[in-house]
Amino acid sequence: MTAGRPVVGVFALQGDVREHLRMLEAAGAAATPVRRSSELDVVDAMVIPGGESTTMHKLATVFELFEPLRQRLAAGMPALGTCAGMIMLADRIEGGIAGQQTLGGLDVVVRRNAFGRQVDSFESDVDFAPFDAPFHALFIRAPWVEKHGTGVEVLATVADGPAAGRIVAVRQDAVMATSFHPEITGDDRVHRYFVDLVRSIRGS
Ligand code: GLN
């Protein structure tokens, strides 16, 4: 731990790591890539980035990071998952491949490639409850939250278009996830919200 600045790791075996590191630093965290369990030991919180959840599961298993991560999450470590990261943090998934496992942490059912495989990527405003103004979100073969337990707070839904009302950001205690990629916009409000959450947990 760094005085004042929470140490936030970014799962770095696969996915868009650099963008998250930069956003986390901008949001006031000390950000560091995590590839092995010794690196996980020194972080206060983790970001699981976008990428490919099936590959993340395989690599995390090979690099012996899957089980340590699962245990830290089960012990209450704060985490932010974006896109594939949302899939990794879901307790249950729809549309996974045979044998695909998740880390868990969020009492949700997440559907992979929910917006349709042909819809590779799109942009849309989302109504992000804690923010004053909508968040302009970028979706890339994104999942959505199909179902959630009573302990899960819906943070954001799609504002308009055919997917209007779909749940695209959630939080349960200190674990949150977005369907979209907040790290590749110029808007750091999601990362600030998360770093403030980590700070509030550390201070308690
Ligand atoms: N469709 C990918 C998966 O299942 C997620 C895509 C993304 O992270 N941009 O992991």
Side-chain angles (χ1 to χ4, degrees), residues 67-141:
E67 198 48 36
L69 259 174
R70 211 188 54 71
Q71 282 171 14
R72 280 291 305 269
L73 286 162
M77 176 181 67
L80 163 66
T82 61
C83 202
M86 171 189 263
I87 298 167
M88 293 300 287
L89 292 178
D91 284 349
R92 292 170 300 282
I93 55 174
E94 300 269 3
I97 63 164
Q100 180 174 1
Q101 284 176 41
T102 66
L103 296 162
L106 285 172
D107 180 15
V108 293
V109 178
V110 160
R111 180 173 292 283
R112 286 182 71 218
N113 303 313
F115 294 89
R117 281 186 180 276
Q118 64 281 21
V119 186
D120 231 37
S121 74
F122 65 99
E123 295 175 36
S124 177
D125 277 354
V126 300
D127 296 319
F128 209 101
F131 302 159
D132 298 338
F135 192 93
H136 191 68
L138 180 58
F139 295 83
I140 305 171
R141 285 177 295 111

Side-chain angles (χ1 to χ4, degrees), residues 14-122:
Q14 205 259 342
D16 53 344
V17 178
R18 240 182 324 161
E19 294 82 355
H20 274 296
L21 292 171
R22 207 180 44 230
M23 280 298 220
L24 288 165
E25 290 277 340
T32 180
V34 169
R35 294 186 186 84
R36 58 192 75 213
S37 64
S38 58
E39 292 165 340
L40 176 65
D41 291 343
V42 300
V43 305
D44 299 311
M46 278 294 286
V47 169
I48 315 292
E52 178 50 55
S53 57
T54 54
T55 311
M56 284 179 177
H57 168 226
K58 283 184 197 139
L59 288 176
T61 305
V62 170
F63 283 79
E64 296 179 352
L65 192 56
F66 189 83
E67 198 48 36
L69 259 174
R70 211 188 54 71
Q71 282 171 14
R72 280 291 305 269
L73 286 162
M77 176 181 67
L80 163 66
T82 61
C83 202
M86 171 189 263
I87 298 167
M88 293 300 287
L89 292 178
D91 284 349
R92 292 170 300 282
I93 55 174
E94 300 269 3
I97 63 164
Q100 180 174 1
Q101 284 176 41
T102 66
L103 296 162
L106 285 172
D107 180 15
V108 293
V109 178
V110 160
R111 180 173 292 283
R112 286 182 71 218
N113 303 313
F115 294 89
R117 281 186 180 276
Q118 64 281 21
V119 186
D120 231 37
S121 74
F122 65 99

